[in-house]
Amino acid sequence: MALDGCGLCCKYLLIAFNIVFALLGFVFLGVGLWLRFSPNTRGIFQIEELNSSAFVMAVTVLIALGAVMLIVVSFGDYGTCNQKICALQVFSVLLSILALAEVVLGVLAYANRDQVGYSIAEFYSSMYALYLTNGDPVIGVTLTFIHNTLHCCGVTGIPVIEMAVKTCPKPDGFFEKIVMPNCPAIIASVFDSKAALVMGLFVGTGALLIMAVICSSILSNKLRQSSSSPQYIILTHSTSVLANPQPPQHELVSSSNPHPDQDPVIFTPLTVANIPVAQS
């Protein structure tokens, strides 16, 4: 089915969107599965007292979000590449639900920013305790990234007694050689001060998803119009069909010829195709 310029633009935009969405889905799902089934973190999920901790909840959300994103991308890729209207409609519905969830989560995170900041700090403390227990190098790299980004040092902030001091950034000045900001307090305060920005990111992501829904709806409408619109052939007096008729299939010769000196009259039945003719 042929598409015009707007339909092709929406098609290519959806393909690019699905590629980015699929990459993010694989990242979320991979990180979540690694944290869930890694030998260094698997024991947390087997302890009943820790099943409601922020770490377990974050890992569960990562796995669920990655799986849902890949399911949505499957419908989007199939519908866009194969121009299937039904798959595009399912893709639009699922994407609308995700967009609504993004906006709701952003608003809730802003309204409960104190509790969310505390949960993120608890998640950091769980990773810190895991690193001290097993020394996982991947967790160590993650802690190093967090420490250098927020310029904090562990849960105590005192380099002399800090057991993960090698993941801490270099102190700025003499005073920070004695004490540095501890990361749980910095994380809570940073989230509280950046809560509006976080809500903006959630709402902006929801707006991008809504744009993808609009492109999917436009593409569906274009495909529906292309498949349902009939093709018309305009016939005029100078139509080549009448000027150059096809060879006759049956010839009927008149049995009664009133003028025997003339050639017999030959009647050729005219086959008319069932073609819609537009009135000019």
Side-chain angles (χ1 to χ4, degrees), residues 114-136:
D114 294 335
Q115 182 62 34
V116 174
Y118 174 78
S119 298
I120 297 175
E122 183 183 352
F123 174 73
Y124 165 82
S125 300
S126 300
M127 292 186 63
Y128 181 84
L130 284 173
Y131 178 71
L132 295 182
T133 302
N134 51 50
D136 191 307

Side-chain angles (χ1 to χ4, degrees), residues 124-159:
Y124 165 82
S125 300
S126 300
M127 292 186 63
Y128 181 84
L130 284 173
Y131 178 71
L132 295 182
T133 302
N134 51 50
D136 191 307
V138 178
I139 298 179
V141 172
T142 304
L143 290 178
T144 302
F145 174 77
I146 294 174
H147 292 166
N148 284 275
T149 301
L150 300 178
H151 194 73
C152 57
C153 184
V155 296
T156 63
I158 303 176

